[in-house]
Short mmCIF file of all heavy atoms in Angstrom, two decimals:
data_model
loop_
_atom_site.label_atom_id
_atom_site.label_comp_id
_atom_site.label_asym_id
_atom_site.label_seq_id
_atom_site.Cartn_x
_atom_site.Cartn_y
_atom_site.Cartn_z
N MET L 1 75.66 36.68 48.46
CA MET L 1 76.09 36.85 47.07
C MET L 1 76.64 35.53 46.54
O MET L 1 77.30 34.79 47.22
CB MET L 1 77.18 37.92 46.97
CG MET L 1 76.68 39.34 47.17
SD MET L 1 75.88 39.97 45.71
CE MET L 1 77.28 40.20 44.61
N ALA L 2 76.34 35.30 45.28
CA ALA L 2 76.85 34.12 44.61
C ALA L 2 76.74 34.36 43.12
O ALA L 2 76.03 35.27 42.69
CB ALA L 2 76.05 32.88 44.99
N TYR L 3 77.47 33.58 42.36
CA TYR L 3 77.35 33.65 40.91
C TYR L 3 76.23 32.73 40.46
O TYR L 3 75.90 31.74 41.11
CB TYR L 3 78.67 33.27 40.25
CG TYR L 3 79.63 34.43 40.13
CD1 TYR L 3 80.21 34.99 41.27
CD2 TYR L 3 79.94 34.99 38.91
CE1 TYR L 3 81.08 36.06 41.18
CE2 TYR L 3 80.82 36.07 38.80
CZ TYR L 3 81.38 36.60 39.94
OH TYR L 3 82.23 37.67 39.85
N LYS L 4 75.64 33.08 39.32
CA LYS L 4 74.58 32.26 38.77
C LYS L 4 74.83 32.09 37.27
O LYS L 4 75.25 33.04 36.60
CB LYS L 4 73.22 32.93 39.00
CG LYS L 4 72.05 32.05 38.58
CD LYS L 4 70.73 32.69 39.01
CE LYS L 4 69.56 31.75 38.66
NZ LYS L 4 68.28 32.33 39.10
N ILE L 5 74.56 30.90 36.75
CA ILE L 5 74.80 30.62 35.33
C ILE L 5 73.52 30.86 34.55
O ILE L 5 72.47 30.31 34.86
CB ILE L 5 75.29 29.16 35.16
CG1 ILE L 5 76.68 29.02 35.80
CG2 ILE L 5 75.34 28.79 33.68
CD1 ILE L 5 77.20 27.60 35.84
N SER L 6 73.65 31.68 33.51
CA SER L 6 72.48 32.06 32.71
C SER L 6 72.16 31.01 31.65
O SER L 6 72.91 30.04 31.45
CB SER L 6 72.74 33.40 32.03
OG SER L 6 73.61 33.21 30.93
N ASP L 7 71.11 31.24 30.91
CA ASP L 7 70.70 30.34 29.83
C ASP L 7 71.68 30.32 28.67
O ASP L 7 71.53 29.51 27.75
CB ASP L 7 69.31 30.72 29.33
CG ASP L 7 68.22 30.41 30.35
OD1 ASP L 7 68.49 29.61 31.27
OD2 ASP L 7 67.12 30.97 30.23
N GLU L 8 72.65 31.24 28.67
CA GLU L 8 73.66 31.26 27.60
C GLU L 8 74.58 30.03 27.66
O GLU L 8 75.30 29.75 26.72
CB GLU L 8 74.52 32.53 27.71
CG GLU L 8 73.73 33.82 27.70
CD GLU L 8 72.98 34.03 26.42
OE1 GLU L 8 73.59 33.90 25.36
OE2 GLU L 8 71.76 34.29 26.48
N CYS L 9 74.59 29.34 28.78
CA CYS L 9 75.49 28.20 29.01
C CYS L 9 75.37 27.16 27.90
O CYS L 9 74.28 26.73 27.55
CB CYS L 9 75.16 27.56 30.36
SG CYS L 9 76.10 26.06 30.71
N ILE L 10 76.55 26.76 27.35
CA ILE L 10 76.59 25.72 26.32
C ILE L 10 77.11 24.40 26.89
O ILE L 10 77.48 23.50 26.15
CB ILE L 10 77.45 26.17 25.12
CG1 ILE L 10 78.86 26.56 25.55
CG2 ILE L 10 76.77 27.34 24.39
CD1 ILE L 10 79.82 26.81 24.38
N ALA L 11 77.18 24.32 28.21
CA ALA L 11 77.55 23.08 28.91
C ALA L 11 78.92 22.54 28.52
O ALA L 11 79.08 21.33 28.35
CB ALA L 11 76.46 22.02 28.71
N CYS L 12 79.91 23.43 28.42
CA CYS L 12 81.26 22.99 28.04
C CYS L 12 82.04 22.41 29.22
O CYS L 12 82.97 21.66 29.04
CB CYS L 12 82.03 24.14 27.42
SG CYS L 12 82.51 25.41 28.60
N GLY L 13 81.68 22.82 30.43
CA GLY L 13 82.32 22.26 31.62
C GLY L 13 83.55 23.01 32.12
O GLY L 13 84.10 22.65 33.16
N ALA L 14 83.99 24.03 31.42
CA ALA L 14 85.21 24.76 31.80
C ALA L 14 85.09 25.37 33.20
O ALA L 14 86.04 25.35 33.98
CB ALA L 14 85.53 25.83 30.78
N CYS L 15 83.95 25.91 33.51
CA CYS L 15 83.78 26.57 34.80
C CYS L 15 83.87 25.58 35.96
O CYS L 15 84.47 25.87 36.99
CB CYS L 15 82.44 27.30 34.85
SG CYS L 15 81.02 26.24 34.52
N ALA L 16 83.28 24.41 35.77
CA ALA L 16 83.29 23.41 36.84
C ALA L 16 84.71 22.97 37.16
O ALA L 16 85.06 22.77 38.33
CB ALA L 16 82.43 22.21 36.44
N GLU L 17 85.55 22.84 36.14
CA GLU L 17 86.94 22.43 36.36
C GLU L 17 87.70 23.50 37.13
O GLU L 17 88.60 23.18 37.91
CB GLU L 17 87.63 22.19 35.01
CG GLU L 17 87.17 20.94 34.32
CD GLU L 17 87.90 20.72 32.98
OE1 GLU L 17 89.02 21.22 32.85
OE2 GLU L 17 87.33 20.05 32.11
N GLY L 18 87.35 24.76 36.93
CA GLY L 18 88.12 25.84 37.55
C GLY L 18 87.60 26.32 38.89
O GLY L 18 88.27 27.09 39.56
N CYS L 19 86.45 25.86 39.30
CA CYS L 19 85.90 26.33 40.58
C CYS L 19 86.69 25.76 41.76
O CYS L 19 86.80 24.54 41.89
CB CYS L 19 84.44 25.93 40.70
SG CYS L 19 83.69 26.46 42.26
N PRO L 20 87.25 26.62 42.63
CA PRO L 20 88.09 26.15 43.73
C PRO L 20 87.36 25.41 44.82
O PRO L 20 87.98 24.71 45.62
CB PRO L 20 88.72 27.46 44.26
CG PRO L 20 87.73 28.51 43.91
CD PRO L 20 87.15 28.10 42.59
N VAL L 21 86.06 25.56 44.88
CA VAL L 21 85.30 24.88 45.94
C VAL L 21 84.33 23.83 45.42
O VAL L 21 83.51 23.29 46.17
CB VAL L 21 84.54 25.91 46.82
CG1 VAL L 21 85.53 26.81 47.54
CG2 VAL L 21 83.58 26.75 45.98
N GLY L 22 84.42 23.53 44.12
CA GLY L 22 83.56 22.50 43.56
C GLY L 22 82.07 22.81 43.62
O GLY L 22 81.26 21.92 43.77
N ALA L 23 81.75 24.09 43.47
CA ALA L 23 80.35 24.50 43.61
C ALA L 23 79.52 24.30 42.35
O ALA L 23 78.31 24.47 42.38
CB ALA L 23 80.30 25.97 44.04
N ILE L 24 80.19 23.96 41.23
CA ILE L 24 79.48 23.88 39.95
C ILE L 24 79.31 22.43 39.52
O ILE L 24 80.27 21.65 39.52
CB ILE L 24 80.23 24.66 38.86
CG1 ILE L 24 80.52 26.08 39.33
CG2 ILE L 24 79.41 24.67 37.56
CD1 ILE L 24 81.38 26.90 38.37
N SER L 25 78.10 22.06 39.16
CA SER L 25 77.84 20.69 38.71
C SER L 25 76.86 20.70 37.55
O SER L 25 76.16 21.68 37.31
CB SER L 25 77.27 19.86 39.86
OG SER L 25 76.07 20.44 40.34
N GLU L 26 76.84 19.59 36.83
CA GLU L 26 75.94 19.47 35.70
C GLU L 26 74.61 18.87 36.17
O GLU L 26 74.59 17.95 36.98
CB GLU L 26 76.55 18.58 34.62
CG GLU L 26 75.70 18.55 33.35
CD GLU L 26 76.34 17.70 32.25
OE1 GLU L 26 77.35 17.03 32.51
OE2 GLU L 26 75.81 17.72 31.13
N ALA L 27 73.54 19.41 35.65
CA ALA L 27 72.22 18.87 35.98
C ALA L 27 71.32 18.99 34.76
O ALA L 27 71.04 20.09 34.30
CB ALA L 27 71.62 19.65 37.15
N ASP L 28 70.93 17.87 34.21
CA ASP L 28 70.04 17.86 33.05
C ASP L 28 70.60 18.64 31.87
O ASP L 28 69.88 19.42 31.24
CB ASP L 28 68.66 18.39 33.43
CG ASP L 28 67.97 17.51 34.45
OD1 ASP L 28 68.21 16.28 34.41
OD2 ASP L 28 67.21 18.03 35.27
N GLY L 29 71.89 18.47 31.60
CA GLY L 29 72.49 19.08 30.43
C GLY L 29 72.85 20.55 30.57
O GLY L 29 73.26 21.18 29.61
N LYS L 30 72.68 21.10 31.77
CA LYS L 30 73.09 22.47 32.02
C LYS L 30 73.95 22.51 33.28
O LYS L 30 73.86 21.61 34.11
CB LYS L 30 71.86 23.37 32.24
CG LYS L 30 71.02 23.56 30.99
CD LYS L 30 69.88 24.53 31.23
CE LYS L 30 70.42 25.89 31.65
NZ LYS L 30 69.35 26.89 31.82
N TYR L 31 74.75 23.54 33.41
CA TYR L 31 75.58 23.66 34.59
C TYR L 31 74.94 24.64 35.57
O TYR L 31 74.38 25.66 35.17
CB TYR L 31 76.99 24.08 34.20
CG TYR L 31 77.82 22.91 33.75
CD1 TYR L 31 77.56 22.29 32.53
CD2 TYR L 31 78.83 22.38 34.55
CE1 TYR L 31 78.29 21.18 32.11
CE2 TYR L 31 79.57 21.27 34.14
CZ TYR L 31 79.29 20.67 32.93
OH TYR L 31 80.01 19.57 32.54
N VAL L 32 75.06 24.29 36.84
CA VAL L 32 74.44 25.12 37.88
C VAL L 32 75.43 25.35 39.03
O VAL L 32 76.31 24.53 39.28
CB VAL L 32 73.15 24.46 38.43
CG1 VAL L 32 72.07 24.42 37.36
CG2 VAL L 32 73.43 23.08 38.97
N ILE L 33 75.28 26.47 39.70
CA ILE L 33 76.14 26.82 40.83
C ILE L 33 75.36 26.65 42.13
O ILE L 33 74.24 27.13 42.27
CB ILE L 33 76.62 28.28 40.70
CG1 ILE L 33 77.58 28.40 39.50
CG2 ILE L 33 77.30 28.74 41.98
CD1 ILE L 33 77.96 29.83 39.14
N ASP L 34 76.00 25.96 43.08
CA ASP L 34 75.42 25.83 44.42
C ASP L 34 75.70 27.14 45.16
O ASP L 34 76.84 27.42 45.55
CB ASP L 34 76.08 24.65 45.14
CG ASP L 34 75.57 24.48 46.56
OD1 ASP L 34 74.88 25.38 47.07
OD2 ASP L 34 75.88 23.43 47.17
N ALA L 35 74.69 27.95 45.33
CA ALA L 35 74.86 29.28 45.91
C ALA L 35 75.41 29.22 47.34
O ALA L 35 76.10 30.14 47.79
CB ALA L 35 73.53 30.04 45.89
N ASP L 36 75.14 28.15 48.05
CA ASP L 36 75.62 28.04 49.42
C ASP L 36 77.11 27.73 49.47
O ASP L 36 77.79 28.06 50.44
CB ASP L 36 74.85 26.95 50.16
CG ASP L 36 73.40 27.34 50.41
OD1 ASP L 36 73.13 28.56 50.55
OD2 ASP L 36 72.54 26.45 50.45
N ALA L 37 77.62 27.10 48.41
CA ALA L 37 79.05 26.74 48.38
C ALA L 37 79.90 27.81 47.71
O ALA L 37 81.09 27.94 48.02
CB ALA L 37 79.22 25.41 47.64
N CYS L 38 79.33 28.57 46.80
CA CYS L 38 80.08 29.58 46.05
C CYS L 38 80.68 30.64 46.97
O CYS L 38 80.01 31.18 47.84
CB CYS L 38 79.13 30.26 45.05
SG CYS L 38 79.88 31.61 44.11
N ILE L 39 81.98 30.95 46.74
CA ILE L 39 82.67 31.96 47.55
C ILE L 39 82.87 33.25 46.75
O ILE L 39 83.65 34.11 47.15
CB ILE L 39 84.02 31.44 48.07
CG1 ILE L 39 84.94 31.01 46.92
CG2 ILE L 39 83.80 30.28 49.05
CD1 ILE L 39 86.38 30.69 47.36
N ASP L 40 82.18 33.36 45.62
CA ASP L 40 82.15 34.63 44.89
C ASP L 40 83.52 35.04 44.31
O ASP L 40 83.82 36.22 44.26
CB ASP L 40 81.65 35.72 45.83
CG ASP L 40 80.64 36.64 45.17
OD1 ASP L 40 80.07 36.24 44.13
OD2 ASP L 40 80.44 37.76 45.67
N CYS L 41 84.33 34.06 43.90
CA CYS L 41 85.68 34.37 43.45
C CYS L 41 85.73 34.88 42.01
O CYS L 41 86.69 35.54 41.61
CB CYS L 41 86.58 33.14 43.60
SG CYS L 41 86.24 31.84 42.38
N GLY L 42 84.73 34.52 41.20
CA GLY L 42 84.69 35.00 39.83
C GLY L 42 85.45 34.16 38.82
O GLY L 42 85.47 34.50 37.64
N ALA L 43 86.09 33.08 39.26
CA ALA L 43 86.87 32.25 38.34
C ALA L 43 86.01 31.67 37.22
O ALA L 43 86.45 31.57 36.07
CB ALA L 43 87.56 31.12 39.11
N CYS L 44 84.80 31.31 37.53
CA CYS L 44 83.92 30.72 36.51
C CYS L 44 83.60 31.73 35.40
O CYS L 44 83.57 31.39 34.23
CB CYS L 44 82.65 30.20 37.14
SG CYS L 44 81.77 31.38 38.18
N ALA L 45 83.41 32.97 35.80
CA ALA L 45 83.12 34.00 34.80
C ALA L 45 84.30 34.19 33.87
O ALA L 45 84.14 34.38 32.66
CB ALA L 45 82.77 35.32 35.50
N GLY L 46 85.53 34.09 34.41
CA GLY L 46 86.73 34.24 33.60
C GLY L 46 86.97 33.07 32.68
O GLY L 46 87.55 33.22 31.62
N ALA L 47 86.52 31.89 33.09
CA ALA L 47 86.76 30.67 32.32
C ALA L 47 85.71 30.44 31.23
O ALA L 47 85.95 29.74 30.26
CB ALA L 47 86.78 29.45 33.26
N CYS L 48 84.56 31.04 31.36
CA CYS L 48 83.44 30.75 30.46
C CYS L 48 83.59 31.43 29.10
O CYS L 48 83.80 32.64 29.03
CB CYS L 48 82.14 31.18 31.11
SG CYS L 48 80.70 30.85 30.07
N PRO L 49 83.47 30.67 28.00
CA PRO L 49 83.61 31.25 26.66
C PRO L 49 82.43 32.11 26.23
O PRO L 49 82.54 32.88 25.27
CB PRO L 49 83.73 30.02 25.76
CG PRO L 49 83.00 28.94 26.49
CD PRO L 49 83.27 29.21 27.94
N VAL L 50 81.31 32.01 26.93
CA VAL L 50 80.13 32.77 26.52
C VAL L 50 79.63 33.75 27.59
O VAL L 50 78.56 34.34 27.45
CB VAL L 50 78.98 31.83 26.09
CG1 VAL L 50 79.37 31.03 24.85
CG2 VAL L 50 78.55 30.91 27.22
N GLY L 51 80.39 33.89 28.68
CA GLY L 51 80.01 34.84 29.71
C GLY L 51 78.73 34.50 30.46
O GLY L 51 78.03 35.40 30.92
N ALA L 52 78.47 33.22 30.62
CA ALA L 52 77.22 32.83 31.27
C ALA L 52 77.19 33.04 32.79
O ALA L 52 76.16 33.41 33.33
CB ALA L 52 76.89 31.38 30.92
N PRO L 53 78.30 32.80 33.51
CA PRO L 53 78.23 33.01 34.97
C PRO L 53 78.27 34.51 35.28
O PRO L 53 79.17 35.23 34.84
CB PRO L 53 79.51 32.32 35.48
CG PRO L 53 79.98 31.46 34.36
CD PRO L 53 79.56 32.19 33.10
N GLN L 54 77.30 34.95 36.03
CA GLN L 54 77.22 36.37 36.36
C GLN L 54 76.95 36.55 37.85
O GLN L 54 76.20 35.78 38.45
CB GLN L 54 76.12 37.03 35.54
CG GLN L 54 76.47 37.08 34.05
CD GLN L 54 75.29 37.40 33.15
OE1 GLN L 54 74.21 37.72 33.64
NE2 GLN L 54 75.49 37.31 31.86
N ALA L 55 77.55 37.58 38.43
CA ALA L 55 77.30 37.89 39.84
C ALA L 55 75.87 38.36 40.03
O ALA L 55 75.37 39.16 39.25
CB ALA L 55 78.29 38.96 40.30
N GLU L 56 75.23 37.83 41.04
CA GLU L 56 73.84 38.23 41.29
C GLU L 56 73.81 39.52 42.09
O GLU L 56 74.67 39.77 42.90
CB GLU L 56 73.13 37.14 42.08
CG GLU L 56 72.90 35.90 41.22
CD GLU L 56 71.54 35.28 41.53
OE1 GLU L 56 71.39 34.73 42.64
OE2 GLU L 56 70.66 35.37 40.69
FE1 SF4 F 101 83.03 28.63 41.98
FE2 SF4 F 101 84.15 31.04 42.18
FE3 SF4 F 101 82.29 30.60 40.31
FE4 SF4 F 101 81.57 30.69 42.86
S1 SF4 F 101 82.41 32.41 41.65
S2 SF4 F 101 80.92 29.15 41.38
S3 SF4 F 101 83.36 29.80 43.89
S4 SF4 F 101 84.34 29.63 40.43
FE1 SF4 F 102 78.34 26.82 30.76
FE2 SF4 F 102 80.20 28.73 30.65
FE3 SF4 F 102 80.35 26.82 32.49
FE4 SF4 F 102 80.84 26.26 29.93
S1 SF4 F 102 82.07 27.61 31.26
S2 SF4 F 102 79.59 25.01 31.37
S3 SF4 F 102 79.34 27.60 28.89
S4 SF4 F 102 78.73 28.38 32.31
#
């Protein structure tokens, strides 16, 4: 299980700042979650203004 960022992402960066394990990074103007690093804490979903990170 891991969170995944949907196409709703507006690349604000809030989720990356709040991720406790640094699993979120920017790539080509969008933010992506490293599924192998994600510990499924849900902090990114709480920080996102558009609800883009969702549990798979
Ligand atoms: Fe990081 Fe937690 Fe979001 Fe996974 S669920 S990407 S560990 S903030
Ligand atoms: Fe994208 Fe939401 Fe992360 Fe902002 S907080 S970069 S909109 S996923």
Side-chain angles (χ1 to χ4, degrees):
M1 288 282 289
Y3 275 68
K4 186 172 184 179
I5 294 173
S6 76
D7 290 342
E8 305 297 310
C9 175
I10 56 172
C12 71
C15 56
E17 288 181 25
C19 179
V21 296
I24 308 175
S25 59
E26 186 178 8
D28 296 328
K30 292 185 59 177
Y31 278 71
V32 293
I33 292 171
D34 178 349
D36 291 329
C38 176
I39 58 171
D40 223 19
C41 72
C44 52
C48 180
V50 296
Q54 292 166 7
E56 289 218 290

